[in-house]
Amino acid sequence: QVQLVESGGGLVQAGGSLRLSCAASGSIFSMNAMGWYRQPPGKQRELVAVITTGGRTNYADSVKGRFIISGDNAKNTVYLQMNSLKPEDTAVYYCNAVRSDTYARYDYWGQGTQVTVSS
């Protein structure tokens, strides 16, 4: 099992910045990747950014050039630096960890942290 705890959400004006943190514990050695998803009000959850254990990153088109995902292996923590925030970035942000093999994929989720961007 893996436990994920997010922090760093809050209220910010458009154009501002926030940094989200996700502290992982448990069987994290078996994870293939970690990332951030978000769920805007009334919409489905969507991928924001992901980082693999090899350090490769991938971003949603809507956040490219504004958000940066990074990891600190010593602290078992993944970060999401969010810059130039827009009102449409308002959502509950969830940390995700993935373990996958030939036969199955296992997703682990944090409890979510609210990010609200005012115009």
Side-chain angles (χ1 to χ4, degrees):
Q1 288 293 326
V2 174
Q3 294 78 42
L4 304 172
V5 179
E6 302 106 331
S7 61
L11 174 64
V12 64
Q13 288 188 334
S17 298
L18 282 175
R19 189 177 80 157
L20 305 182
S21 300
C22 173
S25 60
S27 302
I28 57 175
F29 61 89
S30 61
M31 296 299 110
N32 302 108
M34 292 187 66
W36 292 91
Y37 287 69
R38 68 186 181 188
Q39 187 165 14
K43 297 184 179 181
Q44 291 189 341
R45 194 174 296 188
E46 60 185 15
L47 174 69
V48 176
V50 64
I51 185 167
T52 69
T53 52
R56 290 178 296 173
T57 59
N58 192 34
Y59 297 90
D61 288 342
S62 59
V63 307
K64 282 181 180 177
R66 299 189 298 123
F67 290 12
I68 300 171
I69 188 170
S70 62
D72 185 331
N73 291 332
K75 297 181 178 180
N76 294 330
T77 301
V78 174
Y79 304 97
L80 184 68
Q81 178 66 42
M82 304 186 294
N83 302 318
S84 302
L85 283 161
K86 305 176 181 179
E88 51 264 43
D89 295 317
T90 295
V92 178
Y93 284 70
Y94 295 91
C95 182
N96 168 264
V98 176
R99 177 171 64 88
S100 62
D101 56 31
T102 304
Y103 306 103
R105 172 187 169 120
Y106 304 90
D107 283 87
Y108 301 89
W109 297 95
Q111 80 285 357
T113 184
Q114 177 70 46
V115 171
T116 302
V117 184
S118 63
S119 57

